[in-house]
Amino acid sequence: MKPAQFDYERPSSVAEALDLLRREDLFVKVLAGGQSLGPMLNLRLVQPDLLVDITGIPELKRAEPDSDGITLGACITNADIEDGRAPDVTGGVLPAIARGIAYRAVRNRGTIGGSLSHADPSADWVSGLAALGAEAIIRGGPQGDSGRRTLPIEDYMVGVFEAALEPGEILEAVRIPRLSARARWGYYKICRKTGEFAHAIGAVLYDPERSVCRAVIGATESTPLVVADAAFLFGDRPSDNLAATYDTAAAARLLDRKGMTDPFERQVHLAALRRAVDRASLQ
Amino acid sequence: MTVKGVGGRLIRKEDDRYMRGRGQFIADVRLAGMKDVAFVRSPVAHAQIRGIDIPDTLRHAVFTAGDTDIKPIRAVSGLAGFKVSEQPPLATGKVRQVGELVAMCLAGTRAEAEDIAAAVSLDLEELPAVSDMLEGRKPGAPLLHESWGDNIFLETLVDADLSATARTAPIRVTREIRTARQSMAPMEGKGVVAYWDSRLEQLTVYSSTQMPHIVRTGLSGCLGLDHGRIRVIAPDVGGGFGYKGILSPEEVCVCWLAIKSGLPVRWIEDRREHLIAGTNCREHHYLITGYADRDGKLLGIDCEATVDSGAYSAYPFSACLEAAQVASILPGPYDFPAYRCKTYSVATNKCPILPYRGVARTGVCFAMELLIDAIAREAGLEPHEVRLKNLVRPEQMPFDNITKKHFDSGDYPECLRRAVAAIDLPAVRDRQKRGEPDGRLIGVGVSIFCEQAAHGTSVYSGWGIPMVPGHEQATARVTPDGGLELRVGIQSHGQGLETTLAQVAHQVLGIDPEKISVVHGDTGYTPYSTGTWGSRCMVMAGGAVTRACQEIARRAARIGAWLMQTDEAKVTVRDGMVVGPSGSVTLGEIAKVWYLRPQDLPNDADPGGLETTAGYKPVRDSGTFSYAAHATVVAVDTEIGAVEILDYVIVEDGGVLVNPMIVDGQVYGGTAQGIGTALYEEMPFDEAGQPLASTFADYLLPGPTEVPELRIIHMETPSPYTEFGVKGIGEGGAIGPPAAIANAVNDALRLLGAELCVSPMTPRRIVDAIAAVKESGARRAAGDAA
Ligand SMILES: Cc1cc2nc3c(=O)[nH]c(=O)nc-3n(C[C@H](O)[C@H](O)[C@H](O)COP(=O)(O)OP(=O)(O)OC[C@H]3O[C@@H](n4cnc5c(N)ncnc54)[C@H](O)[C@@H]3O)c2cc1C
C-alpha cells in the first residue's frame, strides 16, 4: 500500500497552481489535506504524475465575513471551523457539523474544499452546506487565471466522487450566507461509531426572515437530495415548531423520486430527516 | 510495604519503553542493505493458474513457486477422517482464496516492489467459488481440493440418543445461530525480516510472532533446514490475539528469499493484506435444540455446528481447532444429562480460519447463552434463574461434565448472582416498565461461561492438534551482582509477562522485580516452547519460573549455609537473602562468591551454580477453568437499529491473581473485542468469494467511544492444580460480550416479538428483524381476515 511514484509541487499562488493544472502532458491532481486523496494514492486507486499541494496558497486560507455571509477559502480546515478560527455566521451550524466529522487528527488537516471536491456522498459538507444554501466559487477554466464561476453547492457535486470541475479549474472558496437571528436549523447524522462517515444525513434550515426553508436528505447512494423550497414538507405552513406540521409521507415521496427502494435505507433516511426537524423545532 | 510478588499491583515494567515510543517492533528493525518484498496476490477466490507473465526486464526480481523448492505448509489433525490440505506458500496450479500468494517481488523499497508487482500479470481461469460453508457442505458444490471428493476437512460426532428426551421434554427450543467471519485486527500487522548470517551459518528471522519456536519448527520443515540453522526472534509485538500464532506463507517465502539472495529481506504486512488475505476467524453456524423442564432445568442439547475453515489448514493449529473444540465445550458451565453434537469443518474459498482470542468459546457461548435465554422466554422465567438451575454447583467441584471436561474449582452460581446484583435487575425491570423519554427500548442480558486455559498435553493430543504442548521450561540465572535473568520460550505482547514472571520470581527469591529481567521471544536464548496462546503463560511459564527459582533457592541456601558456617537445614531464603540462625547473606553476596570468588567455596560445591533450567506441568494437564458472568444493559433505537451500552458488569474468577491490574487490562481489552464481535466487526464476502471489507472504513472496530466504562468484580478461587492457584484469564473478556449483548438486545425487543440470533447485530439486522415480525404479523392478520 504505497503510492506509485509522483512529483510534488507546492505553489504559493492560485495562478501558479492553475499553471500546473493546465499541463496536458501530465495527469495532475490537486492535494489539499490529503485525508481522502492520501488513502487513494496508497491504494493506487489514483496514480497521478504530479501532485499540486494547494495548502501553501494564502488566498485559499482566507475567511472573510461580510454583512451577507462569509467566504471561506477552500483550504480552511474542519478544525479551523470547529475551533472558530473561521468566524461563524450560521448560529453554530458550521462548527456543529465540523465537530462531527471524523476524528480530530483528520479534522486538523481535512479541508472544506477537499471534502466538497472529493464528492463522497456520505460526507458531511456536501449535505450540510447544501442545506445552508451555500455556493461553490470555482476559479480558472477557459478565461484563465482570473476566470470565476459560481455554482450552488448541490450542483457542484455531480455524481459519486465527481465534482463539477472542468480541466484547469479548482475550487477556490465557498460562500455561505449569514443566517438571521430567527433562523432554526437541525442536522442529524446517523453513523455507527464516532467519527465514521454517515449512513444517513438529515438537514433542515428554516429562516423565515430570509424566506428560506430548505431540507436535505444525504448520505444516499449518490448526490444528496436537496429541497430548496421545503415548505411542502411542512404542509406549506412551516413555523418555529416545524415538527408540528412535518409530513413524513411527503418526505417518503421524495425518496420514491430518488429511486430509494430498500426499506431499511428508506427508514433510516426518513428517521434522519425527521430527527433533524425535531432538533430544529421550538417545542 | 508494597506487595511485589504474587498479588501485587505493580506498574508494568515494559510500559516505560512502550509509553515513550521506545519499543522495537518489526517495522523498526532496519538492517544494512535490506530489501523489501511485495507480493502478487490472487485477485479471485478460485481459479486455475494458466500463466504468470513477468516482463523480461523484471524477471530477476520476481519469484514464483517454480523458482523455489519450498515445501507446502501442512497442518494435519490427528483426528480420524481428517482430510489433508497442502498450502504451497506460493500458489501452484490453483489459487483458492483472494489474496493467496502467487509471486514475490523484491526491490529496494516497498513502493518499488509494488511497482514490480503491478507489472506482473496473471492468466487465471476462474472457477466457481465456495463462499458459504453451508453451500460448501452440499453435494455438488465446487471442490477446493479435488482429491477429497467433498469440501469437508473433518466431521466429528459426540453421539447420544435424545429421542426419549425429545418425546417427553415439556420445552423444546430450536435456534439457527450464526457468527460472522472476523479479523483479529491487532494494532500491528504481521511482518518478517530475515537474513542469512554467514558467520553462524544461520538464518536469522525477526518475526512478529507469538510463538518463535513453533515458527522455527515450521520453517525447518518448509525450507528443509536444520533447526540449528534457524534462529527466530520476536521483537516487540504489537498484539497478536491468535493471528501471530501461525506460520504464515509470507514468513516462509521471505526466509527462502533471504537465503537465496543473501540479502536482508523484509515484508511488512499492510492493512489491506491483513484484512483480505491474513486475518480471518470466528465464522460459525449452529443449529441447536435445547430441551428443558417447565422450571427451566435443562434435559438435553442437540446441536449441529459448522465452522467455515477457509481454504487451508493453518499451521500449527489446523483447520479443526475450532470445530473440534466446539463439540467438547458447548455444554459450557452447565450440568445436564443428554448431549449430542455433530460438527463440520468446511473448506471454503476464503482465507484459512485462524485462532482468535476466545477460540471457539466465543461462538459456543453465543450459541448456548442465546439458547438459554430462548428457553427462559419459553418458560416465562428470568434468564438468570434458568442458568442458576443448571450451573455446576460449588459442592460438585472438582467436576467432570458431560464431555469429561474437568472443572477444577469455583462457585459459578455465586458469580452469576453477583453479576445480577451489580447490574440491579429489579431497577432495570422497573425502568423498562416506565419506558424511555426518547422512545428507545431498554434490555438487560447476561452470559456466563468458562474459559479452559493452559490446557496441556492430553487435551491437545485429544483434539488432534498437530502441536502438542508438553512441559514448559524456564531458565533462571542469578547474575554476579545479585540480579536475576529469566529465560522463557513464550512471547509477551501485551500480557505484561515481563512484569508478572518477575513477580513470581520475587515471590520465591525475594529479589526486587526491578533487578529481574525476563528474556523471551528468541529461540537463540530460550528453552523450546509452544509459545503464547490459550491463556497458558501465567500458569505454564509462571510455573516453570517458580520451579527454576525454587531450585536456585536451594542452591543459594547451600552456599549461604556454608558461608555462615551453619547447617543447610537451618537456613531459609527470603527477601533476597539466605537467613540463618545468627545472621544472613544476601543473594548478591552469594552470587559474588560463586562467580567472582570461587576460592571461598567448598570443594564439593554444587557445580550447577546459580543457573538452572526447570520444567513444569500442573498437577493435572486438563487445564484451569476461569469463569465469568457478564451482565449488561442496553438501549435499542428500534427506528435506526442503533444499540447503546448503558452499563456493563463483569464478575470474573481467574483464580489467584498475580497482578490484578494486569488482569483488569486483559479483561478490558478482551471485552472491547467482544463488543466488536457483538455489534461491529464483520468480514462479508460476495458470492464469488470476494472479501468486501478491505479497509477499516468497511471493517468497523469499536473505538474508545463505543466501549463503555466496564465494572469489574473479582472472585479468587484458587486452582488446586497450579503454582499459587493461578488460572489463565487472557481470553475471557472476548468470550462473554456477544452473548450478553445479544441477550440484552433480545430482551429489549421482546415486546415486539423480534429476536436476533446472529452477530454482529448491525442496524440493518435489527431493523430487519423488527420488520420481519411486523410483516408476519400483517400476513397473519390478513390470513385471519380471509
Ligand atoms: C478516518 C477518516 C474519517 C473521515 N470521516 C469523515 C466524516 O465523518 N465526514 C466527512 O465529511 N468526511 C470524513 N472524512 C473525509 C475528510 O473530511 C477529508 O478531509 C475530506 O474528504 C477531504 O479533504 P482533504 O482536504 O483532505 O482533501 P484531499 O484528500 O487532499 O483531496 C480530496 C480530493 O479533492 C480534490 N481537491 C482538494 N481540494 C481541491 C480544490 N480546492 N479544488 C479542486 N479539487 C480539490 C483532490 O484532488 C482530491 O481528489 C474522513 C476521512 C478519514 C481519513
Side-chain angles (χ1 to χ4, degrees), chain A residues 29-39 54 60 74-75 78 100-103 106 109-115 117-118 122-125 156 165 169-172 189 195-198:
Chain A
K29 203 74 189 133
V30 169
L31 173 72
Q35 297 305 294
S36 297
L37 187 53
I54 57 171
L60 300 182
C75 289
N78 296 322
I101 295 174
Y103 322 98
V106 174
R109 287 181 171 272
T111 66
I112 193 166
S115 178
S117 304
H118 186 59
S122 311
D124 288 274
W125 290 127
Y156 183 65
L165 284 178
E169 287 186 329
I170 64 164
L171 179 65
E172 181 183 34
K189 172 179 179 177
E196 207 203 351
F197 273 106

Side-chain angles (χ1 to χ4, degrees), chain A residues 1 192-194 267 275, chain B residues 114 270 637 639 679 701 705:
Chain A
M1 262 203 322
R192 286 170 67 191
K193 50 179 276 195
T194 303
Q267 181 164 323
R275 291 176 188 201
Chain B
E114 287 185 25
D270 69 34
D637 182 330
E639 189 179 24
L679 297 173
L701 291 166
T705 44

Side-chain angles (χ1 to χ4, degrees), chain A residues 59 62 137-140 143-150 172:
Chain A
E59 299 158 77
R62 71 210 154 111
I137 301 171
I138 298 164
R139 181 88 178 268
Q143 279 112 58
D145 291 355
S146 56
R148 251 197 203 99
R149 61 189 178 106
T150 299
E172 181 183 34

Side-chain angles (χ1 to χ4, degrees), chain B residues 360-376:
Chain B
R361 308 180 200 101
T362 305
V364 158
C365 172
F366 193 67
M368 193 66 188
E369 292 296 275
L370 264 60
L371 182 76
I372 298 278
D373 265 41
I375 289 171

Side-chain angles (χ1 to χ4, degrees), chain A residues 265-283:
Chain A
E265 290 295 333
R266 290 177 66 93
Q267 181 164 323
V268 293
H269 282 85
L270 288 175
L273 183 58
R274 207 209 61 244
R275 291 176 188 201
V277 168
D278 286 344
R279 284 187 174 175
S281 300
L282 181 70
Q283 280 168 336

